């Protein structure tokens, strides 16, 4: 797993579900296989794409779309 953050990247050996449980925060969501996103850094959601503050675009999997959308809208207070 690779964590992307302000100062670069950090590689660790752990599953997404393990990391999500350890973070224990509603601000982190699994958006698709291989991606754990911090809702605080989502600037826009268009279709199934999350536009992140750093310029990356993360596609949300079909099976996770509804839950991810709800989590983001709740965070934004919409």
């Amino acid at each position: 797993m690779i964590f992307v953050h302000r100062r670069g990247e950090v590689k660790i050996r752990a599953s997404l579900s393990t990391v999500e449980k350890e973070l224990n925060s509603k601000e982190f969501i699994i958006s698709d296989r291989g991606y754990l996103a911090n809702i605080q850094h989502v600037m826009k959601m268009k279709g199934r794409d999350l536009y992140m503050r750093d310029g990356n675009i993360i596609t949300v999997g079909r099976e996770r779309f509804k839950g991810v959308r709800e989590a983001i809208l709740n965070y934004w207070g919409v």
Side-chain angles (χ1 to χ4, degrees):
M1 176 174 215
I2 301 172
F3 279 100
V4 178
H5 55 86
R6 288 184 197 134
R7 296 182 200 107
E9 298 179 353
V10 175
K11 295 179 184 181
I12 64 165
R13 286 184 62 92
S15 68
L16 282 179
S17 58
T18 299
V19 172
E20 182 182 37
K21 287 176 188 173
E22 287 182 20
L23 289 171
N24 193 25
S25 172
K26 292 181 182 180
E27 293 170 357
F28 289 90
I29 52 174
I30 296 177
S31 60
D32 198 7
R33 294 179 70 188
Y35 290 96
L36 182 67
N38 184 336
I39 294 174
Q40 291 181 338
H41 296 283
V42 175
M43 302 306 294
K44 174 173 79 170
M45 183 172 189
K46 184 175 180 183
R48 288 186 20 234
D49 291 334
L50 301 179
Y51 290 78
M52 305 303 289
R53 188 179 310 260
D54 67 357
N56 285 319
I57 300 172
I58 299 173
T59 300
V60 177
R62 282 187 202 108
E63 64 282 348
R64 297 192 182 272
F65 176 75
K66 184 177 178 181
V68 168
R69 184 174 179 272
E70 286 176 10
I72 290 171
L73 291 176
N74 286 336
Y75 180 79
W76 287 344
V78 177

